[in-house]
Amino acid sequence: MENLFENEYLMERKYYKEYVLNVLCKKIIITGLLVMIFGLIFTVFVGLEDAKIVLTAAIIAGIASILTPVVTIKQLEDTEKRLNNGKIEKIKVIFSDNIVMDEGKVHLEFEYNQITKIVETKSFIVLRLSENSAILVLKDGFVKGTQEEFSKFINEKIK
């Protein structure tokens, strides 16, 4: 089968931030901030002396919700550089009978039935494979096909 869609992009820091904040760590951020807010409110109503443990948990949750995305972005960037011998390589995603993803010398292939969910961000159509992995398709990165055609195609493909 011929290539139906081709998508190419360089993974810049702004894209890592968008993916981590809006997809990968979204639950951690929301949960951490909610625990922090609850803890602070609880402390106000009960008083500091009786709520030291809750306040401590609230502070830890708040710090975790801020630090986790920062650390995750750094880990993703370091992993990409390690895989590509210190270089930033163009990512190419091809959709035909299956999904082929190439980044430098790294070559991955996926079946459409591996996609569990589709999430859209400002810049990406994110094809979730699991909680911790996804295929990122840059909305402005199509060299074959269009974003609109692809959205229709991929939604039909994973129904």
Side-chain angles (χ1 to χ4, degrees):
M1 182 179 201
E2 74 172 273
N3 297 346
L4 301 172
F5 297 94
E6 291 183 25
N7 191 266
E8 295 180 358
Y9 57 93
L10 287 174
M11 195 63 176
E12 301 171 21
R13 185 169 188 86
K14 67 179 181 177
Y15 293 147
Y16 281 117
K17 286 181 182 178
E18 182 179 331
Y19 172 57
V20 168
L21 294 174
N22 295 300
V23 180
L24 201 57
C25 291
K26 189 174 183 175
K27 287 180 183 176
I28 293 169
I29 295 167
I30 291 170
T31 303
L33 292 176
L34 288 174
V35 168
M36 184 181 79
I37 291 167
F38 170 76
L40 295 174
I41 292 170
F42 183 80
T43 302
V44 169
F45 286 111
V46 174
L48 181 60
E49 197 59 39
D50 295 329
K52 286 182 182 174
I53 293 172
V54 173
L55 182 60
T56 302
I59 292 168
I60 292 170
I63 291 169
S65 68
I66 293 167
L67 288 182
T68 299
V70 172
V71 170
T72 303
I73 291 166
K74 177 80 171 114
Q75 287 175 331
L76 289 172
E77 288 176 326
D78 289 349
T79 299
E80 180 181 17
K81 286 178 184 171
R82 193 170 44 257
L83 288 173
N84 293 306
N85 206 15
K87 296 182 236 160
I88 305 295
E89 296 282 353
K90 184 184 289 186
I91 296 169
K92 186 174 187 176
V93 188
I94 298 170
F95 297 86
S96 59
D97 288 337
N98 56 8
I99 304 165
V100 176
M101 190 171 178
D102 290 310
E103 179 181 354
K105 295 183 190 289
V106 178
H107 177 85
L108 301 167
E109 293 191 26
F110 304 94
E111 300 293 326
Y112 289 99
N113 64 8
Q114 291 178 262
I115 300 169
T116 60
K117 185 177 182 183
I118 299 173
V119 178
E120 286 201 38
T121 67
K122 178 182 165 206
S123 304
F124 290 106
I125 299 169
V126 180
L127 309 177
R128 301 273 319 235
L129 303 171
S130 70
E131 278 295 311
N132 300 319
S133 63
I135 300 166
L136 303 180
V137 180
L138 186 67
K139 289 179 177 178
D140 293 336
F142 285 95
V143 293
K144 184 170 185 184
T146 66
Q147 175 197 334
E148 294 77 18
E149 293 168 336
F150 176 75
S151 291
K152 184 177 177 183
F153 164 81
I154 201 67
N155 280 300
E156 286 295 318
K157 201 74 163 159
I158 67 156
K159 278 188 177 175

